[in-house]
Amino acid sequence: MSIVDRQSPLDGTERAAIADLIAHYPTARAAAIDALKYVQKRRRYVADNTLQEVAHLLGLSAAELDEVATFYNLIYRKPVGERVILLCDSITCWMTGRDALARHIEQTIGIKSGETSADDRFTLLPIVCLGHCDHAPAMMVGDVLHGDVDTAKLDEILHIKGDDAR
Amino acid sequence: MSAIPTKPLTRNITRGEIPLDIASYERADGYVAVRDTLGKVDPAAIVQMITDSGLGGCGGGGFPTGRKWQLMPTRAQRPGPRYFVVNADEMEPGTFKDRLLLEGDPHQMIEGIILSAYAVQADVAFIFVRGEYVTAIERLNIAIAQAAAAGLLGANIFGSGYNLSIQVHGGAGRYICGEETALLNSLEGKRAIPRSKPPFPQINGLWGCPTIVNNVETVCNVPHIVRYGTDWYRGLGANGAVGTKIYGVSGRVNRPGTFELPMGTSMRAMIDDCAGGMKDGYRLRAVLPGGASTGFLPEDQMDVPMTFADMAKRGTRLGTGTAIVLDDRTCPVGFIANLQQFFARESCGWCAPCRDGLPWVERTLKSIETGTGVARDLDILTEMTDNLGPGRTFCALAPGAMASLQSGLKYFGDVFRQHIDSRACPWT
């Protein structure tokens, strides 16, 4: 998907889907988070013009919706890579070696927390406890949860080594 | 009737297996309580039963569930929509019990909602699940569709005249959403900032309507209490407590995990008998009994029963009941600094003490940890435990953050001073 696609106006499918989400709640505004998550799923992040269009459908000003969008850490207002790595930095994962995993990602992919790789494939973000502490350290890559992560498993999950491109 | 369970909450859960579908769940005595109750038992009788059972809120507060429900005005007092909300925003560091219940037995969750919502006569229920719990959200939606197809949800359920719909709402992050009034703001499509209380949600909740917010585990207890009775439920506990609890432990123990045990089981029994004790080469130094916002319980107090009352007597809290072990090879200052980093980042920013104070605490701890702290820092940290303590902030986030700091300064004061005196962390 190109950058242009991600900033293009909402299409008919997207408009219909947002209308459907609004119908689930007594107020349109209540669908704000669902609508932002939906467009983000299709466009990877919520660009300014996308935010304006979604706000209009929800009956909000762009500022009102941005107030919501910027509060929640799983809504991305800046471009992110193809796969977002959410590496837990809460207590049990910290004790069991999450910092070593972060260093490994920096060494192999070249990104620190908050950064996107030059090839646009990965973004690394910290995340609060994922509720997987009996398998710490834990992380999510996209929608998939991984536990008992070590550097070898990390390479495998991210396909850093081997010829499987993804 | 199937055999009366001793571990009701997890009886249908097999790790790594997909959960029971509705047919299997019903064969295992599921939804019997719903069929026996809707339109046949006065809702007020269910509220009374839950009150008598002694069930307390399992999200961390332990507030009696029945008493919470009793504060809901009647339909006659307050006509109009009424809401029942499940708080499935499990984000307390070190806590992984609700994930087990949501993923492991979603129909138990749905049955609990039907009975609870009926008791308080709510006609719409929301399950607020943190967005990262993708599998839980999928499984709940499947269970809701199956329950609706079986006539357990919808209009005039079993001809009782009672209507209920359940909707899953996936969140988009932020720990503060677990605070019940912040959760309501989030559900309304706003920033998750806590509301002033009173009025409590029972009076002015979701969109200003009467609303109950209960934790996942709390609600999952309800079908069993209704089905098997309050005497049975009360008899499940140990050391004067009632019911069972999903306890858990993480850190350097041999078998970290969750365990459904009699409420009131001792910390030592859970760690040694269920989790297999400490790993070789590690010694237990202290535990946080129930998540990041509970204070340390030192190693010489491991025989304390894990109840809300017993933990309060030791100056800490049971919290979520999922313990985090601090071992002797982990720096206590680094441990507390990590907890404060979490709280500083997750502060919603609404009130100044929390917004400005927590980052200050975090920076101070990190400077001590890295050997650049000074003696005055300990006075600052001690002052902070008061300035950010109970009654000083808009909600309980900052006071929760101060629990580990205050007890840490008490139990590990020598370790803090060692960092400052030697200008280095002894663990690195």
Side-chain angles (χ1 to χ4, degrees):
Chain A
M1 209 188 274
S2 72
I3 296 291
V4 178
D5 284 340
R6 283 182 240 150
Q7 295 180 344
S8 64
L10 296 179
D11 63 24
T13 307
E14 289 170 318
R15 289 172 171 279
I18 291 169
D20 186 52
L21 293 171
I22 291 170
H24 283 93
Y25 297 94
T27 67
R29 177 181 191 129
I33 290 162
D34 285 349
L36 290 167
K37 285 169 75 173
Y38 169 78
V39 294
Q40 180 170 288
K41 195 130 198 134
R42 291 171 64 94
R43 295 155 177 265
R44 263 196 242 172
Y45 83 108
V46 183
D48 288 351
N49 63 315
T50 311
L51 183 102
Q52 282 169 7
E53 284 192 84
V54 173
H56 184 73
L57 293 174
L58 295 170
L60 299 174
S61 69
E64 283 172 313
L65 185 60
D66 209 12
E67 188 180 275
V68 175
T70 54
F71 185 86
Y72 296 96
N73 55 294
L74 296 179
I75 303 296
Y76 309 135
R77 286 284 282 117
K78 291 180 188 170
V80 293
E82 200 172 322
R83 301 171 82 190
V84 176
I85 306 165
L86 299 173
L87 184 60
C88 176
D89 64 356
S90 290
I91 187 67
T92 305
C93 290
W94 172 78
M95 276 195 289
T96 51
R98 68 85 56 197
D99 285 349
L101 296 175
R103 282 194 298 275
H104 186 74
I105 291 171
E106 189 181 351
Q107 283 156 11
T108 51
I109 307 178
I111 49 172
K112 290 181 186 170
S113 195
E115 295 179 348
T116 299
S117 61
D119 63 3
D120 214 24
R121 279 180 65 193
F122 297 104
T123 296
L124 176 64
L125 295 173
I127 190 88
V128 303
C129 182
L130 288 167
H132 204 43
C133 319
D134 45 347
H135 294 284
M139 66 174 192
M140 289 184 81
V141 181
D143 278 349
V144 184
L145 176 70
H146 301 277
D148 301 312
V149 182
D150 56 21
T151 53
K153 192 168 176 182
L154 190 60
D155 287 347
E156 198 180 303
I157 294 162
L158 302 179
H159 302 291
I160 291 168
K161 289 173 185 166
D163 42 31
D164 178 7
R166 259 187 294 286
Chain B
M1 187 193 285
S2 311
I4 296 181
T6 53
K7 296 188 175 186
L9 297 170
T10 54
R11 61 177 178 169
N12 293 331
I13 300 177
T14 313
R15 274 165 218 276
E17 300 280 314
I18 57 163
L20 298 187
D21 63 10
I22 191 164
S24 312
Y25 182 78
E26 293 204 90
R27 275 198 298 276
D29 221 26
Y31 291 120
V32 172
V34 170
R35 290 175 192 280
D36 289 349
T37 300
L38 265 54
K40 296 174 183 161
V41 180
D42 181 9
I46 304 296
V47 176
Q48 190 60 49
M49 187 181 251
I50 297 304
T51 306
D52 294 343
S53 74
L55 174 65
C58 301
F63 187 80
T65 306
R67 269 175 53 205
K68 194 177 209 182
W69 291 5
Q70 282 168 345
L71 292 171
M72 188 93 157
T74 64
R75 272 200 177 284
Q77 289 165 329
R78 274 285 290 275
R82 303 157 70 84
Y83 296 101
F84 185 83
V85 178
V86 177
N87 185 344
D89 192 58
E90 181 169 71
M91 229 180 269
E92 177 78 23
T95 301
F96 47 104
K97 66 180 182 68
D98 294 339
R99 178 197 283 281
L100 173 81
L101 294 170
L102 296 166
E103 292 183 358
D105 199 4
H107 276 292
Q108 173 175 251
M109 179 83 261
I110 304 307
E111 182 170 16
I113 294 170
I114 298 172
L115 290 163
S116 305
Y118 175 77
V120 298
Q121 289 291 289
D123 37 26
V124 177
F126 288 98
I127 312 175
F128 189 108
V129 191
R130 65 180 296 191
E132 297 93 333
Y133 278 13
V134 178
T135 303
I137 291 170
E138 279 171 12
R139 290 179 178 179
L140 286 168
N141 277 320
I142 292 169
I144 289 168
Q146 289 175 347
L152 288 153
L153 295 171
N156 192 21
I157 302 167
F158 301 141
S160 63
Y162 175 66
N163 312 323
L164 178 67
S165 66
I166 303 181
Q167 188 181 327
V168 177
H169 175 95
R174 298 308 294 270
Y175 170 72
I176 194 62
C177 292
E179 200 280 343
E180 66 175 7
T181 59
L183 184 151
L184 297 177
N185 276 339
S186 189
L187 256 179
E188 292 182 7
K190 300 171 184 164
R191 290 173 88 104
I193 290 161
R195 297 175 180 177
S196 174
K197 290 193 275 192
F200 289 93
Q202 293 95 321
I203 312 299
N204 277 311
L206 204 49
W207 295 293
C209 300
T211 303
I212 293 288
V213 185
N214 281 145
N215 165 262
V216 169
E217 185 183 356
T218 312
V219 180
C220 286
N221 272 290
V222 172
H224 308 294
I225 295 169
V226 173
R227 176 78 175 116
Y228 304 112
T230 53
D231 289 345
W232 162 82
Y233 179 77
R234 296 185 70 90
L236 291 174
N239 292 315
V242 303
T244 63
K245 176 83 187 74
I246 310 237
Y247 293 112
V249 60
S250 67
R252 263 72 180 243
V253 294
N254 280 309
R255 290 189 300 277
T258 44
F259 314 98
E260 184 178 6
L261 300 170
M263 179 70 111
T265 302
S266 75
M267 182 67 77
R268 188 184 304 283
M270 176 184 56
I271 291 177
D272 289 352
D273 303 343
C274 302
M278 296 299 289
K279 282 187 174 166
D280 273 351
Y282 291 93
R283 198 171 59 79
L284 184 147
R285 188 157 192 161
V287 298
L288 297 181
S293 56
T294 58
F296 287 102
L297 187 72
E299 59 182 326
D300 61 357
Q301 293 186 29
M302 290 299 114
D303 291 314
V304 175
M306 294 187 286
T307 68
F308 292 103
D310 287 286
M311 288 296 166
K313 274 186 230 157
R314 267 67 177 190
T316 181
R317 297 189 309 119
L318 179 62
T320 60
T322 38
I324 309 160
V325 174
L326 168 65
D327 60 78
D328 62 336
R329 288 166 64 179
T330 300
C331 171
V333 177
F335 186 99
I336 298 166
N338 175 273
L339 297 172
Q340 300 305 324
Q341 169 188 294
F342 160 80
F343 286 110
R345 193 174 67 205
E346 293 304 319
S347 169
C348 79
W350 179 251
C351 70
C354 181
R355 180 184 63 236
D356 295 344
L358 288 172
W360 189 3
V361 168
E362 180 195 349
R363 284 196 303 273
T364 306
L365 283 166
K366 286 189 170 169
S367 71
I368 295 173
E369 190 199 0
T370 53
T372 57
V374 293
R376 164 85 182 120
D377 287 341
L378 293 180
D379 299 331
I380 292 172
L381 291 175
T382 304
E383 281 167 29
M384 287 298 201
T385 61
D386 179 43
N387 291 339
L388 299 181
R392 304 284 201 184
T393 55
F394 203 70
C395 80
L397 186 140
M402 290 304 100
S404 62
L405 179 60
Q406 189 168 28
S407 56
L409 288 166
K410 176 178 164 191
Y411 295 124
F412 309 122
D414 54 335
V415 175
F416 280 85
R417 282 186 291 274
Q418 201 182 346
H419 278 76
I420 291 167
D421 294 345
S422 65
R423 306 197 69 78
C425 174
W427 275 266
T428 51

